[in-house]
PDB file of all heavy atoms in Angstrom:
ATOM      1  N   PHE A1479       0.846  -1.188  -0.003  1.00  0.00           N
ATOM      2  CA  PHE A1479       0.006   0.009   0.000  1.00  0.00           C
ATOM      3  C   PHE A1479       0.858   1.251   0.013  1.00  0.00           C
ATOM      4  O   PHE A1479       0.694   2.151  -0.840  1.00  0.00           O
ATOM      5  CB  PHE A1479      -0.947  -0.033   1.223  1.00  0.00           C
ATOM      6  CG  PHE A1479      -1.719   1.236   1.445  1.00  0.00           C
ATOM      7  CD1 PHE A1479      -2.565   1.741   0.472  1.00  0.00           C
ATOM      8  CD2 PHE A1479      -1.572   1.931   2.633  1.00  0.00           C
ATOM      9  CE1 PHE A1479      -3.258   2.901   0.691  1.00  0.00           C
ATOM     10  CE2 PHE A1479      -2.284   3.120   2.849  1.00  0.00           C
ATOM     11  CZ  PHE A1479      -3.133   3.601   1.879  1.00  0.00           C
ATOM     12  N   HIS A1480       1.820   1.308   0.925  1.00  0.00           N
ATOM     13  CA  HIS A1480       2.697   2.521   0.989  1.00  0.00           C
ATOM     14  C   HIS A1480       3.645   2.610  -0.170  1.00  0.00           C
ATOM     15  O   HIS A1480       3.994   3.677  -0.618  1.00  0.00           O
ATOM     16  CB  HIS A1480       3.439   2.514   2.337  1.00  0.00           C
ATOM     17  CG  HIS A1480       2.543   2.759   3.504  1.00  0.00           C
ATOM     18  ND1 HIS A1480       1.871   3.937   3.689  1.00  0.00           N
ATOM     19  CD2 HIS A1480       2.238   1.945   4.564  1.00  0.00           C
ATOM     20  CE1 HIS A1480       1.168   3.867   4.831  1.00  0.00           C
ATOM     21  NE2 HIS A1480       1.343   2.682   5.357  1.00  0.00           N
ATOM     22  N   LYS A1481       4.053   1.459  -0.689  1.00  0.00           N
ATOM     23  CA  LYS A1481       4.913   1.442  -1.892  1.00  0.00           C
ATOM     24  C   LYS A1481       4.144   2.075  -3.060  1.00  0.00           C
ATOM     25  O   LYS A1481       4.695   2.877  -3.826  1.00  0.00           O
ATOM     26  CB  LYS A1481       5.310   0.015  -2.226  1.00  0.00           C
ATOM     27  CG  LYS A1481       5.990  -0.178  -3.557  1.00  0.00           C
ATOM     28  CD  LYS A1481       7.445   0.194  -3.489  1.00  0.00           C
ATOM     29  CE  LYS A1481       8.226  -0.226  -4.743  1.00  0.00           C
ATOM     30  NZ  LYS A1481       9.620   0.203  -4.714  1.00  0.00           N
ATOM     31  N   GLY A1482       2.882   1.693  -3.224  1.00  0.00           N
ATOM     32  CA  GLY A1482       2.070   2.266  -4.296  1.00  0.00           C
ATOM     33  C   GLY A1482       1.821   3.737  -4.112  1.00  0.00           C
ATOM     34  O   GLY A1482       1.756   4.489  -5.095  1.00  0.00           O
ATOM     35  N   MET A1483       1.714   4.169  -2.851  1.00  0.00           N
ATOM     36  CA  MET A1483       1.494   5.581  -2.553  1.00  0.00           C
ATOM     37  C   MET A1483       2.780   6.403  -2.697  1.00  0.00           C
ATOM     38  O   MET A1483       2.761   7.615  -2.848  1.00  0.00           O
ATOM     39  CB  MET A1483       0.988   5.727  -1.110  1.00  0.00           C
ATOM     40  CG  MET A1483      -0.385   5.146  -0.871  1.00  0.00           C
ATOM     41  SD  MET A1483      -1.676   6.257  -1.371  1.00  0.00           S
ATOM     42  CE  MET A1483      -1.533   7.538  -0.169  1.00  0.00           C
ATOM     43  N   GLN A1484       3.926   5.707  -2.652  1.00  0.00           N
ATOM     44  CA  GLN A1484       5.250   6.369  -2.722  1.00  0.00           C
ATOM     45  C   GLN A1484       5.360   7.411  -1.615  1.00  0.00           C
ATOM     46  O   GLN A1484       5.890   8.520  -1.847  1.00  0.00           O
ATOM     47  CB  GLN A1484       5.476   6.982  -4.098  1.00  0.00           C
ATOM     48  CG  GLN A1484       5.523   5.961  -5.216  1.00  0.00           C
ATOM     49  CD  GLN A1484       5.802   6.574  -6.577  1.00  0.00           C
ATOM     50  OE1 GLN A1484       5.461   7.704  -6.862  1.00  0.00           O
ATOM     51  NE2 GLN A1484       6.445   5.799  -7.457  1.00  0.00           N
ATOM     52  N   ASP A1485       4.889   7.075  -0.426  1.00  0.00           N
ATOM     53  CA  ASP A1485       4.920   8.048   0.654  1.00  0.00           C
ATOM     54  C   ASP A1485       6.102   7.737   1.593  1.00  0.00           C
ATOM     55  O   ASP A1485       6.916   6.834   1.366  1.00  0.00           O
ATOM     56  CB  ASP A1485       3.589   8.040   1.439  1.00  0.00           C
ATOM     57  CG  ASP A1485       3.278   6.678   2.037  1.00  0.00           C
ATOM     58  OD1 ASP A1485       4.187   5.874   2.225  1.00  0.00           O
ATOM     59  OD2 ASP A1485       2.087   6.424   2.312  1.00  0.00           O
ATOM     60  N   GLU A1486       6.210   8.567   2.663  1.00  0.00           N
ATOM     61  CA  GLU A1486       7.365   8.462   3.555  1.00  0.00           C
ATOM     62  C   GLU A1486       7.343   7.211   4.418  1.00  0.00           C
ATOM     63  O   GLU A1486       8.307   6.874   5.058  1.00  0.00           O
ATOM     64  CB  GLU A1486       7.427   9.695   4.472  1.00  0.00           C
ATOM     65  CG  GLU A1486       6.333   9.797   5.494  1.00  0.00           C
ATOM     66  CD  GLU A1486       5.023  10.360   4.928  1.00  0.00           C
ATOM     67  OE1 GLU A1486       4.997  10.651   3.705  1.00  0.00           O
ATOM     68  OE2 GLU A1486       4.049  10.510   5.692  1.00  0.00           O
ATOM     69  N   LEU A1487       6.206   6.480   4.427  1.00  0.00           N
ATOM     70  CA  LEU A1487       6.118   5.270   5.218  1.00  0.00           C
ATOM     71  C   LEU A1487       6.531   4.020   4.434  1.00  0.00           C
ATOM     72  O   LEU A1487       6.550   2.934   5.013  1.00  0.00           O
ATOM     73  CB  LEU A1487       4.657   5.099   5.720  1.00  0.00           C
ATOM     74  CG  LEU A1487       4.179   6.172   6.685  1.00  0.00           C
ATOM     75  CD1 LEU A1487       2.690   5.907   7.034  1.00  0.00           C
ATOM     76  CD2 LEU A1487       5.022   6.219   7.940  1.00  0.00           C
ATOM     77  N   SER A1488       6.879   4.161   3.174  1.00  0.00           N
ATOM     78  CA  SER A1488       7.192   3.015   2.331  1.00  0.00           C
ATOM     79  C   SER A1488       8.451   2.297   2.851  1.00  0.00           C
ATOM     80  O   SER A1488       8.436   1.077   3.046  1.00  0.00           O
ATOM     81  CB  SER A1488       7.399   3.462   0.908  1.00  0.00           C
ATOM     82  OG  SER A1488       7.805   2.342   0.105  1.00  0.00           O
ATOM     83  N   ASP A1489       9.538   3.023   3.110  1.00  0.00           N
ATOM     84  CA  ASP A1489      10.774   2.397   3.568  1.00  0.00           C
ATOM     85  C   ASP A1489      10.639   1.789   4.962  1.00  0.00           C
ATOM     86  O   ASP A1489      11.064   0.634   5.174  1.00  0.00           O
ATOM     87  CB  ASP A1489      11.926   3.412   3.558  1.00  0.00           C
ATOM     88  CG  ASP A1489      12.408   3.722   2.137  1.00  0.00           C
ATOM     89  OD1 ASP A1489      12.066   2.939   1.206  1.00  0.00           O
ATOM     90  OD2 ASP A1489      13.048   4.743   1.957  1.00  0.00           O
ATOM     91  N   PRO A1490      10.014   2.508   5.947  1.00  0.00           N
ATOM     92  CA  PRO A1490       9.796   1.847   7.251  1.00  0.00           C
ATOM     93  C   PRO A1490       8.904   0.597   7.159  1.00  0.00           C
ATOM     94  O   PRO A1490       9.139  -0.374   7.901  1.00  0.00           O
ATOM     95  CB  PRO A1490       9.114   2.953   8.085  1.00  0.00           C
ATOM     96  CG  PRO A1490       9.529   4.231   7.448  1.00  0.00           C
ATOM     97  CD  PRO A1490       9.644   3.923   5.993  1.00  0.00           C
ATOM     98  N   ALA A1491       7.932   0.609   6.236  1.00  0.00           N
ATOM     99  CA  ALA A1491       7.053  -0.542   6.082  1.00  0.00           C
ATOM    100  C   ALA A1491       7.848  -1.723   5.550  1.00  0.00           C
ATOM    101  O   ALA A1491       7.636  -2.878   5.944  1.00  0.00           O
ATOM    102  CB  ALA A1491       5.887  -0.195   5.167  1.00  0.00           C
ATOM    103  N   LEU A1492       8.792  -1.451   4.654  1.00  0.00           N
ATOM    104  CA  LEU A1492       9.604  -2.525   4.086  1.00  0.00           C
ATOM    105  C   LEU A1492      10.536  -3.086   5.151  1.00  0.00           C
ATOM    106  O   LEU A1492      10.712  -4.300   5.259  1.00  0.00           O
ATOM    107  CB  LEU A1492      10.419  -1.999   2.893  1.00  0.00           C
ATOM    108  CG  LEU A1492      11.364  -2.993   2.212  1.00  0.00           C
ATOM    109  CD1 LEU A1492      10.605  -4.225   1.736  1.00  0.00           C
ATOM    110  CD2 LEU A1492      12.083  -2.328   1.042  1.00  0.00           C
ATOM    111  N   THR A1493      11.124  -2.210   5.945  1.00  0.00           N
ATOM    112  CA  THR A1493      11.989  -2.659   7.056  1.00  0.00           C
ATOM    113  C   THR A1493      11.194  -3.525   8.044  1.00  0.00           C
ATOM    114  O   THR A1493      11.656  -4.558   8.486  1.00  0.00           O
ATOM    115  CB  THR A1493      12.620  -1.446   7.783  1.00  0.00           C
ATOM    116  OG1 THR A1493      13.387  -0.679   6.874  1.00  0.00           O
ATOM    117  CG2 THR A1493      13.500  -1.900   8.931  1.00  0.00           C
ATOM    118  N   GLY A1494       9.984  -3.046   8.369  1.00  0.00           N
ATOM    119  CA  GLY A1494       9.122  -3.807   9.287  1.00  0.00           C
ATOM    120  C   GLY A1494       8.756  -5.155   8.729  1.00  0.00           C
ATOM    121  O   GLY A1494       8.706  -6.150   9.447  1.00  0.00           O
ATOM    122  N   LEU A1495       8.510  -5.207   7.412  1.00  0.00           N
ATOM    123  CA  LEU A1495       8.192  -6.494   6.773  1.00  0.00           C
ATOM    124  C   LEU A1495       9.351  -7.461   6.859  1.00  0.00           C
ATOM    125  O   LEU A1495       9.140  -8.624   7.193  1.00  0.00           O
ATOM    126  CB  LEU A1495       7.807  -6.223   5.284  1.00  0.00           C
ATOM    127  CG  LEU A1495       7.571  -7.462   4.427  1.00  0.00           C
ATOM    128  CD1 LEU A1495       6.375  -8.283   4.973  1.00  0.00           C
ATOM    129  CD2 LEU A1495       7.309  -7.056   2.968  1.00  0.00           C
ATOM    130  N   MET A1496      10.539  -6.990   6.532  1.00  0.00           N
ATOM    131  CA  MET A1496      11.706  -7.877   6.585  1.00  0.00           C
ATOM    132  C   MET A1496      11.985  -8.340   7.995  1.00  0.00           C
ATOM    133  O   MET A1496      12.338  -9.526   8.227  1.00  0.00           O
ATOM    134  CB  MET A1496      12.941  -7.148   5.985  1.00  0.00           C
ATOM    135  CG  MET A1496      12.802  -6.816   4.523  1.00  0.00           C
ATOM    136  SD  MET A1496      12.550  -8.229   3.433  1.00  0.00           S
ATOM    137  CE  MET A1496      14.129  -9.058   3.588  1.00  0.00           C
ATOM    138  N   ASP A1497      11.835  -7.445   8.965  1.00  0.00           N
ATOM    139  CA  ASP A1497      12.044  -7.862  10.379  1.00  0.00           C
ATOM    140  C   ASP A1497      11.007  -8.925  10.771  1.00  0.00           C
ATOM    141  O   ASP A1497      11.349  -9.878  11.482  1.00  0.00           O
ATOM    142  CB  ASP A1497      11.909  -6.639  11.314  1.00  0.00           C
ATOM    143  CG  ASP A1497      13.105  -5.673  11.166  1.00  0.00           C
ATOM    144  OD1 ASP A1497      14.124  -6.060  10.598  1.00  0.00           O
ATOM    145  OD2 ASP A1497      12.949  -4.531  11.614  1.00  0.00           O
ATOM    146  N   SER A1498       9.798  -8.736  10.321  1.00  0.00           N
ATOM    147  CA  SER A1498       8.731  -9.700  10.639  1.00  0.00           C
ATOM    148  C   SER A1498       9.000 -11.054  10.006  1.00  0.00           C
ATOM    149  O   SER A1498       8.752 -12.110  10.614  1.00  0.00           O
ATOM    150  CB  SER A1498       7.394  -9.175  10.166  1.00  0.00           C
ATOM    151  OG  SER A1498       7.047  -7.940  10.808  1.00  0.00           O
ATOM    152  N   ILE A1499       9.532 -11.052   8.774  1.00  0.00           N
ATOM    153  CA  ILE A1499       9.871 -12.288   8.080  1.00  0.00           C
ATOM    154  C   ILE A1499      10.936 -13.051   8.842  1.00  0.00           C
ATOM    155  O   ILE A1499      10.820 -14.261   9.055  1.00  0.00           O
ATOM    156  CB  ILE A1499      10.338 -11.992   6.652  1.00  0.00           C
ATOM    157  CG1 ILE A1499       9.171 -11.645   5.733  1.00  0.00           C
ATOM    158  CG2 ILE A1499      11.134 -13.149   6.080  1.00  0.00           C
ATOM    159  CD1 ILE A1499       8.240 -12.787   5.455  1.00  0.00           C
ATOM    160  N   ASN A1500      11.968 -12.367   9.283  1.00  0.00           N
ATOM    161  CA  ASN A1500      13.057 -13.010  10.015  1.00  0.00           C
ATOM    162  C   ASN A1500      12.554 -13.620  11.313  1.00  0.00           C
ATOM    163  O   ASN A1500      12.925 -14.741  11.664  1.00  0.00           O
ATOM    164  CB  ASN A1500      14.191 -12.051  10.305  1.00  0.00           C
ATOM    165  CG  ASN A1500      14.943 -11.659   9.023  1.00  0.00           C
ATOM    166  OD1 ASN A1500      15.137 -12.473   8.149  1.00  0.00           O
ATOM    167  ND2 ASN A1500      15.373 -10.376   8.918  1.00  0.00           N
ATOM    168  N   ALA A1501      11.701 -12.894  12.014  1.00  0.00           N
ATOM    169  CA  ALA A1501      11.130 -13.378  13.263  1.00  0.00           C
ATOM    170  C   ALA A1501      10.217 -14.561  13.027  1.00  0.00           C
ATOM    171  O   ALA A1501      10.252 -15.577  13.773  1.00  0.00           O
ATOM    172  CB  ALA A1501      10.409 -12.274  14.017  1.00  0.00           C
ATOM    173  N   TYR A1502       9.376 -14.468  11.997  1.00  0.00           N
ATOM    174  CA  TYR A1502       8.439 -15.543  11.669  1.00  0.00           C
ATOM    175  C   TYR A1502       9.189 -16.809  11.297  1.00  0.00           C
ATOM    176  O   TYR A1502       8.807 -17.911  11.727  1.00  0.00           O
ATOM    177  CB  TYR A1502       7.532 -15.105  10.537  1.00  0.00           C
ATOM    178  CG  TYR A1502       6.504 -16.118  10.108  1.00  0.00           C
ATOM    179  CD1 TYR A1502       5.319 -16.268  10.824  1.00  0.00           C
ATOM    180  CD2 TYR A1502       6.694 -16.927   9.014  1.00  0.00           C
ATOM    181  CE1 TYR A1502       4.367 -17.201  10.480  1.00  0.00           C
ATOM    182  CE2 TYR A1502       5.756 -17.876   8.638  1.00  0.00           C
ATOM    183  CZ  TYR A1502       4.602 -18.026   9.362  1.00  0.00           C
ATOM    184  OH  TYR A1502       3.651 -18.956   8.975  1.00  0.00           O
ATOM    185  N   ALA A1503      10.240 -16.676  10.503  1.00  0.00           N
ATOM    186  CA  ALA A1503      10.965 -17.826  10.037  1.00  0.00           C
ATOM    187  C   ALA A1503      11.638 -18.587  11.173  1.00  0.00           C
ATOM    188  O   ALA A1503      11.756 -19.832  11.106  1.00  0.00           O
ATOM    189  CB  ALA A1503      12.019 -17.421   8.976  1.00  0.00           C
ATOM    190  N   GLN A1504      12.021 -17.859  12.212  1.00  0.00           N
ATOM    191  CA  GLN A1504      12.703 -18.534  13.339  1.00  0.00           C
ATOM    192  C   GLN A1504      11.730 -19.483  14.067  1.00  0.00           C
ATOM    193  O   GLN A1504      12.151 -20.515  14.593  1.00  0.00           O
ATOM    194  CB  GLN A1504      13.249 -17.501  14.296  1.00  0.00           C
ATOM    195  CG  GLN A1504      14.453 -16.770  13.738  1.00  0.00           C
ATOM    196  CD  GLN A1504      15.004 -15.728  14.694  1.00  0.00           C
ATOM    197  OE1 GLN A1504      14.543 -15.630  15.834  1.00  0.00           O
ATOM    198  NE2 GLN A1504      15.951 -14.919  14.212  1.00  0.00           N
ATOM    199  N   GLY A1505      10.456 -19.110  14.112  1.00  0.00           N
ATOM    200  CA  GLY A1505       9.487 -19.906  14.880  1.00  0.00           C
ATOM    201  C   GLY A1505       8.626 -20.810  14.035  1.00  0.00           C
ATOM    202  O   GLY A1505       8.023 -21.733  14.537  1.00  0.00           O
ATOM    203  N   ALA A1506       8.495 -20.502  12.727  1.00  0.00           N
ATOM    204  CA  ALA A1506       7.561 -21.257  11.865  1.00  0.00           C
ATOM    205  C   ALA A1506       8.026 -22.684  11.681  1.00  0.00           C
ATOM    206  O   ALA A1506       9.219 -22.952  11.452  1.00  0.00           O
ATOM    207  CB  ALA A1506       7.405 -20.584  10.522  1.00  0.00           C
ATOM    208  N   THR A1507       7.092 -23.634  11.770  1.00  0.00           N
ATOM    209  CA  THR A1507       7.421 -25.031  11.623  1.00  0.00           C
ATOM    210  C   THR A1507       6.644 -25.743  10.503  1.00  0.00           C
ATOM    211  O   THR A1507       7.012 -26.835  10.088  1.00  0.00           O
ATOM    212  CB  THR A1507       7.184 -25.817  12.913  1.00  0.00           C
ATOM    213  OG1 THR A1507       5.797 -25.667  13.297  1.00  0.00           O
ATOM    214  CG2 THR A1507       8.081 -25.294  14.021  1.00  0.00           C
ATOM    215  N   LYS A1508       5.573 -25.087  10.006  1.00  0.00           N
ATOM    216  CA  LYS A1508       4.778 -25.794   8.989  1.00  0.00           C
ATOM    217  C   LYS A1508       4.208 -24.903   7.906  1.00  0.00           C
ATOM    218  O   LYS A1508       4.099 -25.343   6.732  1.00  0.00           O
ATOM    219  CB  LYS A1508       3.649 -26.570   9.652  1.00  0.00           C
ATOM    220  CG  LYS A1508       2.715 -25.744  10.524  1.00  0.00           C
ATOM    221  CD  LYS A1508       1.629 -26.610  11.156  1.00  0.00           C
ATOM    222  CE  LYS A1508       0.695 -25.764  12.031  1.00  0.00           C
ATOM    223  NZ  LYS A1508      -0.374 -26.587  12.625  1.00  0.00           N
ATOM    224  N   ASP A1509       3.779 -23.671   8.187  1.00  0.00           N
ATOM    225  CA  ASP A1509       3.174 -22.825   7.186  1.00  0.00           C
ATOM    226  C   ASP A1509       4.159 -21.824   6.627  1.00  0.00           C
ATOM    227  O   ASP A1509       4.444 -20.793   7.254  1.00  0.00           O
ATOM    228  CB  ASP A1509       1.961 -22.090   7.759  1.00  0.00           C
ATOM    229  CG  ASP A1509       1.086 -21.451   6.655  1.00  0.00           C
ATOM    230  OD1 ASP A1509       1.597 -21.356   5.499  1.00  0.00           O
ATOM    231  OD2 ASP A1509      -0.026 -21.037   6.934  1.00  0.00           O
ATOM    232  N   PHE A1510       4.743 -22.169   5.447  1.00  0.00           N
ATOM    233  CA  PHE A1510       5.769 -21.313   4.862  1.00  0.00           C
ATOM    234  C   PHE A1510       5.265 -20.520   3.659  1.00  0.00           C
ATOM    235  O   PHE A1510       6.033 -19.833   2.995  1.00  0.00           O
ATOM    236  CB  PHE A1510       7.001 -22.183   4.462  1.00  0.00           C
ATOM    237  CG  PHE A1510       7.489 -23.027   5.583  1.00  0.00           C
ATOM    238  CD1 PHE A1510       7.564 -24.443   5.402  1.00  0.00           C
ATOM    239  CD2 PHE A1510       7.832 -22.505   6.800  1.00  0.00           C
ATOM    240  CE1 PHE A1510       7.995 -25.257   6.441  1.00  0.00           C
ATOM    241  CE2 PHE A1510       8.298 -23.320   7.840  1.00  0.00           C
ATOM    242  CZ  PHE A1510       8.362 -24.695   7.644  1.00  0.00           C
TER     243      PHE A1510
END
């Protein structure tokens, strides 16, 4: 959404997404 808007929240949203992926991958055991 923020990428499409090209607003100032796009980069923080991407950083948050990547952080969430790393955290999710550490605990995920079945739904990838």
Side-chain angles (χ1 to χ4, degrees):
F1479 172 59
H1480 291 295
K1481 171 79 170 178
M1483 294 278 290
Q1484 297 182 330
D1485 60 21
E1486 69 279 1
L1487 296 177
S1488 177
D1489 288 342
L1492 180 56
T1493 300
L1495 174 62
M1496 295 301 292
D1497 290 344
S1498 299
I1499 284 292
N1500 290 323
Y1502 180 81
Q1504 289 179 8
T1507 58
K1508 56 181 181 179
D1509 193 347
F1510 308 123

